[in-house]
Amino acid sequence: MYVPEHFAVSELDSLYGLIRAQPLGMLITHGPDGLDANHLPFELEAGEPAVLHGHVARNNPVWQDVADGSEVLVVFRAGDAYISPNWFPSKHELHKQVPTWNYKVVHVHGRISIKDDERYVRGVVARLTRTHEAQQAKPWKMTDSAPEYIDTLLKAIVGIQVEITRVVGKYKLSQNKDKRDLESAGRELVAKGETAIGTAMLACADQKTP
């Protein structure tokens, strides 16, 4: 991924925060039939090394197409938005702005391991469930279903683990623009309801000098 210096983010707290807030990652692999992409929720385990945990359907060929230790890429996104040059005050004065697209992404590079193990899969499903049911008024638990039903479903999935070797962050938020242009475009997005990128741009503007 091309990352100009003014869009680069290296702070792990920020990058890991994005992954936890937007855990649906795009797992990109290269197998005997070429490139493949699967969209999967992941659980991030910070540490040395940090690890992503997930699972796929047993019928999904990806777990058989990649060998343990193969290099993979997992992409996490946290919003995107079109930016009109008309939102920049400087455009109306100098007529030197063009359209662009802003976004926040994290690329996780790592080595994959296949975990065709009931205990591992049960643990991943339990942790993902606890995390994503936590905000529900009455959180669903695996024990809400009959044990034999859960056991049958667990046999139909296979665990995957990605040991993280490198994390690359790119937050393209018009940081290379003047403060007033950044503020103006950010306010336009917020007014349109595109708050994920709009509020991020306004936060960047707050850190800039006029």
Side-chain angles (χ1 to χ4, degrees), residues 5-205:
E5 183 178 354
H6 43 265
F7 299 147
V9 179
S10 59
E11 296 81 7
L12 282 180
D13 285 348
S14 178
L15 302 179
Y16 286 174
L18 184 150
I19 292 172
R20 291 192 171 102
Q22 304 291 336
L24 184 68
M26 178 167 56
L27 171 66
I28 300 170
T29 57
H30 193 280
D33 295 323
L35 289 170
D36 190 18
N38 284 269
H39 303 265
L40 312 167
F42 284 96
E43 178 202 24
L44 171 65
E45 178 185 354
E48 291 293 339
V51 177
L52 294 174
H53 301 280
H55 60 82
V56 298
R58 186 171 293 277
N59 288 337
N60 186 332
V62 66
W63 70 274
Q64 294 174 309
D65 287 346
V66 293
D68 278 358
S70 297
E71 292 186 1
V72 298
L73 173 66
V74 188
V75 178
F76 296 91
R77 295 176 62 256
D80 66 275
Y82 172 78
I83 308 298
S84 170
N86 288 323
W87 299 345
F88 297 133
S90 64
K91 178 267 181 189
H92 303 284
E93 299 168 1
L94 305 173
H95 303 285
K96 292 183 178 181
Q97 297 288 355
V98 295
T100 191
W101 209 286
N102 284 353
Y103 52 86
K104 296 174 67 176
V105 295
V106 173
H107 285 195
V108 175
H109 300 256
R111 292 184 291 269
I112 195 169
S113 297
I114 304 305
K115 301 290 186 180
D116 192 7
D117 173 83
E118 190 271 346
R119 182 177 179 182
Y120 178 89
V121 171
R122 186 180 292 272
V124 170
V125 172
R127 292 192 296 273
L128 285 170
T129 299
R130 283 197 297 271
T131 296
H132 300 295
E133 284 287 324
Q135 303 304 316
Q136 301 299 316
K138 185 178 180 181
W140 181 88
K141 304 182 297 295
M142 292 174 69
T143 53
D144 289 348
S145 297
E148 57 272 17
Y149 173 72
I150 295 296
D151 290 346
T152 298
L153 292 181
L154 291 177
K155 291 176 182 176
I157 58 180
V158 177
I160 58 172
Q161 175 179 292
V162 178
E163 180 181 305
I164 298 174
T165 57
R166 184 162 60 102
V167 184
V168 181
K170 181 177 182 179
Y171 295 0
K172 184 177 179 295
L173 300 169
S174 297
Q175 300 97 314
N176 56 329
K177 305 295 184 183
D178 291 341
K179 181 182 179 72
R180 60 174 183 156
D181 285 343
L182 189 51
E183 286 178 332
S184 177
R187 287 195 296 266
E188 287 283 351
L189 287 179
V190 171
K192 287 163 54 68
E194 299 189 60
T195 56
I197 298 300
T199 55
M201 290 176 66
L202 291 174
C204 287

